[in-house]
Structure formats: structure tokens, C-alpha cells
Amino acid sequence: MDGWRVCGAVLYDELVEKILSWLPVKYLIRFKCMCKSWNSLMAWVTLVGETLDNMTFQISKDQIHLKLYVSLKSHNDKRLGGPIEMGTWMHDIIWRETNVKCKVWESGRGADWFLENGGNTVFIKGLILAKGGGEAICGCTKKPDEVRRLTLLTGEGGPKNKFFYHLGRSLVAMIF
Amino acid sequence: MAEETESTKTEPLKTAEEEFKKLEITEEEESELKLETSDHVTFMVEASIAMKFGAVQQYLEVSPAASASATAIPLHNVASRELILILEYYRMHDWVDAGERDLKEFDERFLKDLNYEELKELLLAANYLNVEKLFNFLTKSIANIIRNKDVEFVRTFFGIDNDYTPEEEAAYREENAWAGVKFV
């Protein structure tokens, strides 16, 4: 099926993706049960909890642009480019500094990641960001029986690692 | 609105004097492009606005002669009704004096005047014309509409058939219930 028929007007997959890309993740989870093609469209949205209210994604066929909302303590860190106003999109900062684009890895490819911060563990599942050969993370879960050992892949130095740091930090800040 | 007068085809001029006057005016005004919609209505559109349309740009790249000549640029997937709305939107957003508040009010009113069906058709037209600003505005607006709606509403909105069996759907909801997701 190429698209969804709307009384003569067809909204293509592409357009539906664009519309959905404005919505926070929790809405996407709800809409996954719309029909099977929506489910596969959003296959990458795996397990996310309420903590991810402040994350949105820009979806396209092989890329996801991640936006993180800085809602907690991390808003006054020089390493994030100086004081950041409450409510600044992490997205802007990350992108300004490193211009990282995210890549979707298909589920079932062993793409589960974690991040440790002083004994706290953030569980990350399903999605991997990539720039060159490097990988990072997005998406996470607090569900206890979904716990996996964490692994964070870092590539060969450069802005990429800085990006990991920022991303990891803000995830931790959001959850703990 | 001005669009309607422009949408009518060029009227035959009555006198040479009138023609002369018209020439004078067009010389002072900025150049215009002729656009033809799928229902064969011709629009004269300011080049500054028409050039914002990706489809027009693309057409002119392929046949540059069309910008100077009287040839109309065909817009196969856009009906006159949609083009009028698109032009209205772009003229407002192009207007130098329009403040942020004016634009916000305009956007709200613009959206209010559209029913869901028109909204979808406009989105398709905007997608075909490749007009980024309006496209983003529309997708965002639709996202806002469906945001707090239940699954059934969104199914109807997009005309989606539910291809899950009731058991599958129930199982899916169960599976994701822990995440605090309300399916309504």
C-alpha cells in the first residue's frame, strides 16, 4: 500500500512521517497500534517511558534527528556552550557543535546500549546515532526486566565524543 | 482578495490608451510569472513569491525561457482553490510589515478556515509545490490536531483501516501499558 486513502486524497507514507515527526515519542507509541503499516513505519520506537516526554524525533527513511529537551540541572554547563536557558532544545546545541546526524539501526541487530553514571544506569534500547564510524544512543527504558548490560561505543575521538558526553549527560539528567 | 482578480484570465483591453497604461504599470512593478493550475486557471504571481515554490524553480531550470515569455508554468497537482490559499499564506508571510503577532493571528485564522479534508489537500499541494514553510506549518498543525486524539479519531482522519485483529490490538496495548501510554 503506497499511502492512506483519504476520500480521494492520499497522504503518502512520507507525509505521514513528517506529520508524526512533530510528536513526542509517547504519542508515537500510542499510534503504533493504528495499523500494521504505521507500526512498521515506527519500528524504531521501542521501549520508552514517561521520561522521554521531552524527546522528539525527526524521522526520515534512514535518519533520525534527535531533539532532547534540557529540563533539569544540566542547563548551566560551560561545556554545553555556556549557560543554556531552561527550555532550550538540546538539539540546537548538539547540532551547532557537532552536526551529528543519527542513523536508524533496524531492531534485532543487537542494538541495545547503556550508560553508567555513578552507579545509576540508564537503559537505552533500539536506536543508534552515527557519525562516520561512531555510534551513540537514544531511546531508553526504566523497565526492570528490560535491563541489559550497557555498552557505549565511541569512535576515534573528535567532536563525536563530545556529542556522546552531552547526550549521555542529558539523558541522565532527565531520568535521575 | 487580490488573488481572485488575478485568477481571471487576461481580459482583452479595450483601448490602446488602456494598454499603454497597463504597460507602464507593469514596468514599475516587479516581474510576474504565469502559473496554470490543474483545473486550467491561470494566475499571475509575483516572481518573488513564485520563486519560493520549489516546483517553479525546477521548471525554470529545465526551461528558462518560460520566465520571460507568456508561457504558463503548469502545476499539475495543484488546483486553483489550493493555489489561492498558498498564495494568501505566502503573501502574508512575505509582507514586510507583518509583525510576529499578526502572523500568528493570521496562521490561526488560516487554519480555522480549513476543514480536515481541505487541510490534507493543501498539504498534498504544498508537498508537490515544494514549499517548505507552509509544508512545515501544515504538518505541525496536523500533528497538533491528532496529538490528543484517540486512535479511532486518527484512523478516521487518515482513512486507515485497522488491520489488527482485536486480540492483536489488545495484546499490543497490554505490552505497552507499563510505559504509561494511554490509548483511550
Side-chain angles (χ1 to χ4, degrees):
Chain A
M1 194 164 73
D2 285 329
W4 294 289
R5 221 170 57 77
V6 193
C7 305
V10 175
L11 289 191
Y12 315 104
D13 288 22
E14 200 191 316
L15 298 187
V16 174
E17 279 186 2
K18 287 272 160 57
I19 293 169
L20 295 177
S21 72
W22 292 103
L23 292 173
V25 171
K26 68 170 184 180
Y27 295 95
L28 298 185
I29 298 179
R30 182 191 331 157
F31 292 148
K32 273 177 85 170
C33 71
M34 197 72 66
C35 67
K36 283 174 184 167
S37 51
W38 276 47
N39 194 358
S40 59
L41 193 69
M42 293 184 267
W44 54 270
V45 183
T46 48
L47 296 158
V48 277
E50 282 171 9
T51 43
L52 285 191
D53 275 9
N54 292 329
M55 245 170 145
T56 62
F57 297 89
Q58 296 277 21
I59 325 162
S60 70
K61 283 269 181 292
D62 59 347
Q63 285 190 333
I64 287 183
H65 290 221
L66 169 71
K67 287 177 180 178
L68 290 172
Y69 206 65
V70 183
S71 54
L72 295 176
K73 307 171 206 112
S74 65
H75 68 282
N76 197 18
D77 188 331
K78 274 186 190 142
R79 279 165 296 192
L80 292 172
I84 297 160
E85 269 176 55
M86 279 298 215
T88 306
W89 284 102
M90 196 62 188
H91 167 87
D92 296 332
I93 304 146
I94 294 167
W95 262 244
R96 193 171 62 225
E97 289 191 1
T98 63
N99 197 26
V100 176
K101 282 186 175 168
C102 320
K103 195 176 173 196
V104 189
W105 277 24
E106 284 159 32
S107 53
R109 219 167 143 187
D112 297 332
W113 310 88
F114 76 97
L115 196 74
E116 274 177 333
N117 178 13
N120 292 327
T121 308
V122 181
F123 295 97
I124 295 141
K125 192 175 157 61
L127 294 171
I128 299 173
L129 318 181
K131 190 204 176 197
E135 276 115 33
I137 23 149
C138 56
C140 64
T141 172
K142 281 166 102 176
K143 194 185 179 189
D145 44 41
E146 285 293 327
V147 166
R148 312 275 167 97
R149 268 313 279 173
L150 320 173
T151 319
L152 181 65
L153 278 197
T154 48
E156 327 103 65
K160 209 161 36 213
N161 291 333
K162 219 155 107 195
F163 170 69
F164 287 175
Y165 174 80
H166 292 338
L167 182 61
R169 222 171 157 280
S170 55
L171 279 177
V172 171
M174 281 197 298
I175 290 162
F176 301 106
Chain B
M1 290 292 295
E3 288 84 3
E4 281 177 23
T5 49
E6 276 164 39
S7 70
T8 54
K9 288 178 189 169
T10 331
E11 285 168 14
L13 295 164
K14 280 160 205 157
T15 63
E17 199 187 315
E18 261 184 21
E19 193 171 60
F20 180 64
K21 263 189 198 161
K22 178 132 190 171
L23 271 176
E24 259 190 347
I25 290 164
T26 46
E27 262 174 14
E28 283 166 16
E29 282 177 349
E30 61 170 323
S31 60
E32 292 186 327
L33 290 172
K34 208 183 212 182
L35 306 181
E36 192 183 337
T37 54
S38 59
D39 47 353
H40 305 295
V41 181
T42 315
F43 289 76
M44 295 304 294
V45 179
E46 303 90 299
S48 61
I49 287 180
M51 289 307 282
K52 286 208 169 78
F53 302 169
V56 172
Q57 280 174 25
Q58 223 171 18
Y59 185 87
L60 291 178
E61 268 167 35
V62 181
S63 47
S67 61
S69 74
T71 334
I73 300 168
L75 306 171
H76 300 297
N77 289 340
V78 184
S80 52
R81 202 168 46 138
E82 278 108 47
L83 188 60
I84 288 169
L85 287 168
I86 293 170
L87 289 176
E88 188 187 333
Y89 182 85
Y90 269 86
R91 285 199 178 117
M92 184 64 191
H93 279 259
D94 215 36
W95 184 34
V96 192
D97 290 342
E100 214 165 281
R101 224 173 116 199
D102 298 330
L103 289 182
K104 214 179 149 216
E105 270 171 28
F106 171 84
D107 285 353
E108 275 168 19
R109 203 156 20 87
F110 186 81
L111 211 60
K112 223 174 140 190
D113 289 344
L114 296 169
N115 64 34
Y116 292 154
E117 213 48 51
E118 287 165 341
L119 195 58
K120 281 179 283 189
E121 273 168 17
L122 196 58
L123 180 66
L124 285 171
N127 183 47
Y128 169 79
L129 274 182
N130 196 0
V131 281
E132 205 192 339
K133 198 172 178 184
L134 179 63
F135 183 83
N136 286 341
F137 170 67
L138 291 174
T139 45
K140 203 173 179 174
S141 308
I142 295 179
N144 276 335
I145 290 172
I146 63 172
R147 192 187 168 105
N148 289 316
K149 301 292 193 297
D150 60 34
V151 173
E152 258 335 298
F153 173 90
V154 182
R155 278 198 188 117
T156 323
F157 186 92
F158 286 104
I160 297 171
D161 297 324
N162 180 13
D163 50 5
Y164 284 115
T165 63
E167 293 79 29
E168 275 175 336
E169 196 176 330
Y172 179 83
R173 290 178 184 219
E174 175 87 0
E175 198 181 295
N176 287 276
W178 65 270
V181 179
K182 291 178 190 72
F183 291 96
V184 185

